[in-house]
């Protein structure tokens, strides 16, 4: 199991082999459906989970496990909040957590939950390569039955070094202490395609680079090979030996870049948690680079 943990991914076969014919799994394994979708897709992840999911899976609610006092979407919760939530899902320090989502592209929100567990000190966590899309395509079993494991005691410590604030990213415009990679689609990054959230215009942080989250995936929806990922970072002149901060629209798909970097051996990628939503709303007009409308006072 350790080889898979170090790699950050598990295959559908690996997971399928660990689910019994009756649908039961080891108490040391916890499968989490971490599906979350942009509003315009009109998909209800919890409802879809209730209709069908991987046997033994529980639903991880990104909207529920977050800082509800923040004006921005699904910001990281406190260590206490995360510990209580993870414990309610029967995760403890011995548990190997496997996360997946039901995205049509194969992987969308699962890396966010993978990163959340790691930022709160739990490194026994992997992403199901190819997600639920490939699980279904390859004919593995699904169920509507929901298990009810007993809650556990989960201990969490929040690693603030892996979380970047607006102020730190703004200061970096002058200090250039770290590189910023944006995982949004190219049109949104350039400012020529609309953002999916009302009141937020497209564009990007000055000096940031664009590597759309889906570019790290094959047409089959699985992660590209380490060699391909390294080549992608090299083509963008992203030096993985130096500090790297990732961002996107609201902090979700940024974690796909973090996962890709992790698969190349970089374990300390940082996330700008407020992402473009916070940046656009708080930045000065000249701090919004756009080929479109941009920002005005």
């Amino acid at each position: 199991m350790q080889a898979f943990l170090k790699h950050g991914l598990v295959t559908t076969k690996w997971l399928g082999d660990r689910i019994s014919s009756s649908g039961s799994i080891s108490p040391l394994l916890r499968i989490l459906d971490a599906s979350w979708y942009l509003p315009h897709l009109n998909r209800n992840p919890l409802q879809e989970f209730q209709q069908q999911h991987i046997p033994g899976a529980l639903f991880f609610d990104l909207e529920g496990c977050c800082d509800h006092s923040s004006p921005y979407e699904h910001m990281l919760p406190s260590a206490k909040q995360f510990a209580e939530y993870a414990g309610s899902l029967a995760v403890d320090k011995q548990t190997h957590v496997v996360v997946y989502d039901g995205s049509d592209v194969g992987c969308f929100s699962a890396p966010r939950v993978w990163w959340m567990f790691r930022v709160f000190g739990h490194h026994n966590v992997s992403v199901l390569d190819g997600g639920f899309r490939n699980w279904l395509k390859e004919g593995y079993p699904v169920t509507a039955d929901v298990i009810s494991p007993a809650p556990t005691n989960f201990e969490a410590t929040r690693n603030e070094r892996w979380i970047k604030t607006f102020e730190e990213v703004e200061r970096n415009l002058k200090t250039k202490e770290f590189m910023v990679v944006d995982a949004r689609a190219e049109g949104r990054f350039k400012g020529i395609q609309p953002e999916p959230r009302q009141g937020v215009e497209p564009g990007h942080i000055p000096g940031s680079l664009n590597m759309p989250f889906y570019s790290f995936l094959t047409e089959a929806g699985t992660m590209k090979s380490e060699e391909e990922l390294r080549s992608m970072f090299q083509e963008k002149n992203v030096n993985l030996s130096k500090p790297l901060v990732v961002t996107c629209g609201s902090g979700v798909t940024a974690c796909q870049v973090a996962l890709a970097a992790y698969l190349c051996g970089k374990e300390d990628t940082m996330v700008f948690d407020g992402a473009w939503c916070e940046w656009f709303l708080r930045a000065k007009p000249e701090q919004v680079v756009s080929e479109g409308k941009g920002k005005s006072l």
Side-chain angles (χ1 to χ4, degrees):
M1 183 180 291
Q2 289 302 314
F4 289 95
L5 295 179
K6 182 178 180 181
H7 196 249
L9 297 173
V10 296
T11 63
T12 49
K13 183 182 186 307
W14 184 93
L15 187 58
D17 288 345
R18 282 155 180 79
I19 299 174
S20 72
S21 57
S22 63
S24 63
I25 59 174
S26 164
L28 296 179
L29 176 65
R30 181 63 56 226
I31 306 169
L32 300 178
D33 182 334
S35 297
W36 177 86
Y37 306 107
L38 289 168
H40 72 274
L41 294 176
N42 293 317
R43 293 182 64 174
N44 186 321
L46 177 58
Q47 190 175 72
E48 291 182 15
F49 170 81
Q50 292 168 338
Q51 292 170 348
Q52 63 172 2
H53 53 263
I54 296 175
L58 293 173
F59 184 72
F60 189 105
D61 184 5
L62 270 174
E63 300 286 1
C65 185
C66 64
D67 178 4
H68 294 286
S69 67
S70 173
Y72 310 110
E73 287 185 74
H74 37 251
M75 296 283 279
L76 278 176
S78 66
K80 181 177 183 294
Q81 287 173 303
F82 188 84
E84 291 175 351
Y85 192 80
S88 73
L89 296 174
V91 176
D92 62 25
K93 64 180 180 180
Q94 304 298 328
T95 308
H96 177 193
V97 178
V98 174
V99 291
Y100 73 92
D101 63 63
S103 168
D104 292 337
V105 298
C107 191
F108 181 75
S109 53
R112 170 68 179 190
V113 175
W114 166 84
W115 181 77
M116 287 175 71
F117 271 100
R118 296 183 68 248
V119 85
F120 284 108
H122 190 84
H123 295 268
N124 288 355
V125 56
S126 308
V127 172
L128 176 63
D129 199 17
F132 197 49
R133 163 188 162 179
N134 279 276
W135 182 267
L136 292 173
K137 181 180 177 182
E138 294 167 18
Y140 286 101
V142 296
T143 184
D145 297 335
V146 180
I147 61 172
S148 301
T152 57
N153 180 38
F154 184 89
E155 296 181 2
T157 301
R158 187 167 138 148
N159 185 351
E160 300 295 340
R161 294 172 298 175
W162 288 2
I163 308 161
K164 284 299 176 186
T165 64
F166 172 87
E167 290 77 13
E168 289 172 312
V169 177
E170 183 180 43
R171 186 166 61 246
N172 188 67
L173 297 179
K174 293 183 178 179
T175 62
K176 302 188 187 310
E177 297 170 18
F178 49 80
M179 184 166 284
V180 179
V181 171
D182 191 319
R184 289 174 301 150
E186 184 180 21
R188 291 169 61 187
F189 179 84
K190 288 184 174 181
I192 56 177
Q193 290 180 348
E195 286 292 309
R197 297 169 179 88
Q198 189 174 6
V200 178
E201 295 295 331
H204 62 268
I205 299 168
S208 61
L209 300 173
N210 186 216
M211 298 184 76
F213 79 92
Y214 48 80
S215 66
F216 296 98
L217 301 171
T218 66
E219 289 186 5
T222 56
M223 288 292 286
K224 291 180 177 178
S225 68
E226 180 182 336
E227 182 180 5
E228 290 174 302
L229 296 176
R230 286 187 181 279
S231 178
M232 290 175 64
F233 285 118
Q234 289 170 358
E235 287 175 8
K236 287 288 186 176
N237 292 316
V238 176
N239 188 339
L240 294 179
S241 68
K242 295 184 177 180
L244 174 63
V245 171
V246 291
T247 183
C248 57
S250 63
V252 174
T253 58
C255 298
Q256 183 87 283
V257 187
L259 175 60
Y262 178 85
L263 296 176
C264 294
K266 186 173 184 59
E267 300 188 12
D268 60 353
T269 300
M270 301 164 278
V271 172
F272 173 24
D273 204 27
W276 182 248
C277 284
E278 181 178 9
W279 185 265
F280 180 82
L281 293 173
R282 296 184 62 188
K284 302 179 183 69
E286 61 270 24
Q287 294 173 334
V288 172
V289 180
S290 175
E291 296 176 19
K293 182 178 179 180
K295 180 177 182 178
S296 58
L297 291 174

